[in-house]
Amino acid sequence: MGILSGNQKKQPLHYGEVYHLFSYLVAANGSHTMLQTYGNHTGDRDLKKFIDELIPGVKAEITEVEEVLKENGIGLPPAPPDKPLASLEEIPPGAKFADPEISAGVSKGLAEGLVGCSTIITQCTREDIAMLFGQYHMNKAQAAAKALKLNKEKGWLIPPPLHTKVPSED
């Protein structure tokens, strides 16, 4: 007889899982509105397309995590309202995010999401929750690879100093 075996959805969440689900939802809500803002500010068509591809995934994560919290009787955190569509030309130049800044922000958010998902996976006792965040992790890793390629193609990647001189072994 195993501990916490059987139907996972009937097993209780432990306090760490509740905390992580709640915190992840807060972050996902913020990520959603930030992506909407970035979409309003970007002038690069490829970056805009990439952002537009990310938004439905974030919305799906929000819906799924909300569902898990509701099923377990946990109240939901407040979510910011959707950002309205804005015309890029209406945003004053000094107030506008530059495309390289936007791309860096999106990449940073993906990196933070990968770490968050990894943390949640390793601290779960419920396999269904671990699998859910495993899926999110995989999606973020794929998106991060796309972001890296886009950053390289656009010349937006700022690499650390490259180590090109290797000492000889004489």
Side-chain angles (χ1 to χ4, degrees), residues 4-5 21 23 25 28 31-32 37 51 67 70 85 87 93 95 97 101 110 115-116 139 148-149:
L4 298 175
S5 60
L21 285 161
S23 298
L25 183 55
S31 177
H32 177 251
T37 301
I51 291 168
E67 186 96 6
K70 286 178 192 174
L85 287 175
S87 171
F97 287 110
E101 293 172 313
L110 290 168
V115 172
N139 294 344
L148 175 60
K149 184 176 182 198

Side-chain angles (χ1 to χ4, degrees), residues 51-150:
I51 291 168
D52 288 345
E53 290 171 359
L54 292 175
I55 290 174
V58 173
K59 284 298 283 180
E61 288 181 7
I62 289 168
T63 301
E64 290 169 346
V65 173
E66 283 178 344
E67 186 96 6
V68 172
L69 289 171
K70 286 178 192 174
E71 287 171 357
N72 287 277
I74 311 299
L76 304 179
D82 283 349
K83 298 290 184 184
L85 287 175
S87 171
L88 182 63
E89 295 76 31
E90 294 174 6
I91 302 170
K96 199 180 307 182
F97 287 110
D99 290 334
E101 293 172 313
I102 293 168
S103 188
V106 170
S107 295
K108 178 180 172 266
L110 290 168
E112 290 168 346
L114 284 165
V115 172
C117 289
S118 295
T119 300
I120 294 168
I121 292 165
T122 61
Q123 295 179 2
C124 283
T125 57
R126 281 191 36 180
E127 295 158 33
D128 61 328
I129 304 298
M131 294 297 290
L132 184 66
F133 282 91
Q135 182 66 46
Y136 297 166
H137 189 278
M138 185 179 69
N139 294 344
K140 287 179 192 322
Q142 290 172 339
K146 277 184 168 180
L148 175 60
K149 184 176 182 198
L150 180 68

Side-chain angles (χ1 to χ4, degrees), residues 1-66:
M1 177 159 188
I3 297 173
L4 298 175
S5 60
N7 184 346
Q8 292 293 300
K9 292 186 184 241
K10 292 185 179 181
Q11 298 298 325
L13 295 170
H14 65 69
Y15 288 111
E17 288 167 330
V18 172
Y19 172 80
H20 284 307
L21 285 161
F22 191 90
S23 298
Y24 191 86
L25 183 55
V26 169
N29 282 327
S31 177
H32 177 251
T33 57
M34 195 72 228
L35 287 169
Q36 290 176 320
T37 301
Y38 284 157
N40 284 336
H41 284 244
T42 188
D44 185 89
R45 286 196 337 246
D46 296 327
L47 181 57
K48 173 75 170 133
K49 181 180 177 217
F50 180 59
I51 291 168
D52 288 345
E53 290 171 359
L54 292 175
I55 290 174
V58 173
K59 284 298 283 180
E61 288 181 7
I62 289 168
T63 301
E64 290 169 346
V65 173
E66 283 178 344

Side-chain angles (χ1 to χ4, degrees), residues 148 151-152 155-163:
L148 175 60
N151 283 323
K152 285 180 170 182
W156 298 334
L157 182 68
I158 302 171
L162 300 176
H163 183 71

